Structure formats: C-alpha cells, structure tokens
Amino acid sequence: MTTLEQLSAEEANDELAALDALEKEASEFNKDAEIDRILKAFRLDAYAVLNLQPGVPDSQIKIQYRKLSLLIHPDKTSNPSAPNAFDRLKKAQTELMDPKHRTHLDECISDARMLLIRERKLTVDSAEVKEPNKEFIEAWRKKTVEVLVDAEARRRKQLKAQLQEEGREQRKQDEE
C-alpha cells in the first residue's frame, strides 16, 4: 500500500468516526428534546404527554407509548430527567387505556372546543372549526388546559368535602 493510499484510508476512517460521533450526538439531542417536551406537556392532558391527537385508537396509543418509551428509557439515556419523563409517559398511557379516564378527558377536550366556538361566535359548520388553522388549534389547547384545571379543582373540592364528612362521621361514632 502506498503512502497516498494509506493517507486516504486514514482520512476515510476519520470521516466515518466523525460521522458516527455526530449521529450519536444527534440521537442524544433527540432524546433530550423529547424528554423536555414530555416534561413541559400539561400533566392532566395525557394526549399531550404522548403527543397524540384526541380520539386515536388504542392500538395507536400502544404504538406511540412503545416508540417514546424506547427513546427516553432511563437505561438508554444519560439525561437526569429521563426517569421523571418516563414515569409521566407511563402514567399518560395508563390513563388513556382506562376507558373511564379517557372518556372524561375526551369530554373535557370536547367541552373546551364548544366553549371556544361560543366565545368566537362561530358555528360547528364554520370553516375555521371544520378545518382549524394553527391559531384555532393553539387556542383550543389553551382552553382545554383551563377546562382540565377546572375539572381537577372540582374533583379535589369534592374529595375534600367527602373526607371532611367522613371525619365528622368518625368523630360522631367515637363520641357515642
């Protein structure tokens, strides 16, 4: 092998090594970006955590969960936030697979859409509603967050009242 051939073989190896390093760095960047997206997604909206549109079939939820869980699994990335993101992802998938919780979430999303339509004095047949633009979709997401927060506040208030009532009943029984 001549010196020129050795030099070009070394250059080729160096370029391959540089490409491999670049691909690994890009892969880590994608993992970190997905972890950040999951952690920034609104917790009460499992669709947002899984990056899915409402109304998708169970099979799509399972596929998306598997894809994302393999990407951000704490054993496969060095990101210190990976365990937290992985837990949120698992919780979101569990919530969407539970028919009761999924129905509640779908109802909140539907309510948010109807509230937005009323606020904007639109009809269900309006072009903006039938084929929503980015601005409408963003407003719908914000309205969904408001509706979910209100629903969660009501749930907690009911739970608190229930616990207080149980406490009163327990004290009454203790007094007797």
Side-chain angles (χ1 to χ4, degrees):
M1 198 182 258
T2 66
T3 310
L4 188 57
E5 289 174 340
Q6 286 177 339
L7 191 58
S8 46
E10 287 176 17
E11 287 175 354
N13 286 338
D14 288 346
E15 286 183 21
L16 285 175
L19 278 174
D20 287 344
L22 198 58
E23 285 178 10
K24 185 175 181 180
E25 193 175 312
S27 174
E28 283 299 314
F29 177 78
N30 288 340
K31 289 177 183 182
D32 291 345
E34 190 59 30
I35 288 168
D36 288 344
R37 188 200 62 76
I38 290 169
L39 293 175
K40 289 178 182 174
F42 186 59
R43 288 179 189 235
L44 297 177
D45 186 356
Y47 289 114
V49 174
L50 283 166
N51 202 20
L52 291 169
Q53 292 299 316
V56 296
D58 288 354
S59 60
Q60 187 63 37
I61 294 168
K62 290 175 185 176
I63 290 168
Q64 183 72 354
Y65 169 74
R66 178 142 172 80
K67 180 177 124 185
L68 293 177
S69 65
L70 288 173
L71 181 67
I72 68 159
H73 195 281
D75 292 343
K76 299 199 183 239
T77 182
S78 59
N79 189 317
S81 301
N84 190 12
F86 188 77
D87 291 344
R88 280 197 198 175
L89 191 67
K90 179 62 181 161
K91 183 178 181 210
Q93 188 256 357
T94 303
E95 288 174 353
L96 287 179
M97 297 311 287
D98 175 24
K100 183 180 175 186
H101 190 276
R102 186 170 179 187
T103 300
H104 170 72
L105 182 57
D106 288 344
E107 287 172 358
C108 287
I109 291 170
S110 179
D111 291 348
R113 181 174 177 262
M114 290 309 295
L115 287 170
L116 188 60
I117 289 170
R118 280 190 214 130
E119 282 177 9
R120 294 184 175 199
K121 296 180 172 71
L122 300 170
T123 65
V124 180
D125 296 327
S126 300
E128 186 178 358
V129 175
K130 283 191 172 186
E131 296 198 22
N133 57 21
K134 286 187 177 195
E135 187 272 330
F136 184 85
I137 292 171
E138 189 60 35
W140 185 6
R141 284 189 181 127
K142 287 179 181 177
K143 185 59 75 174
T144 298
V145 168
E146 291 174 19
V147 171
L148 287 169
V149 167
D150 289 345
E152 180 65 13
R154 278 193 309 276
R155 186 190 71 79
R156 288 181 183 189
K157 194 174 184 180
Q158 288 173 341
L159 184 62
K160 184 178 177 183
Q162 180 184 358
L163 291 173
Q164 286 175 340
E165 183 60 33
E166 289 173 2
R168 279 190 221 112
E169 289 175 8
Q170 185 65 39
R171 283 192 297 274
K172 191 175 180 181
Q173 287 177 355
D174 291 345
E175 289 173 2
E176 293 174 357

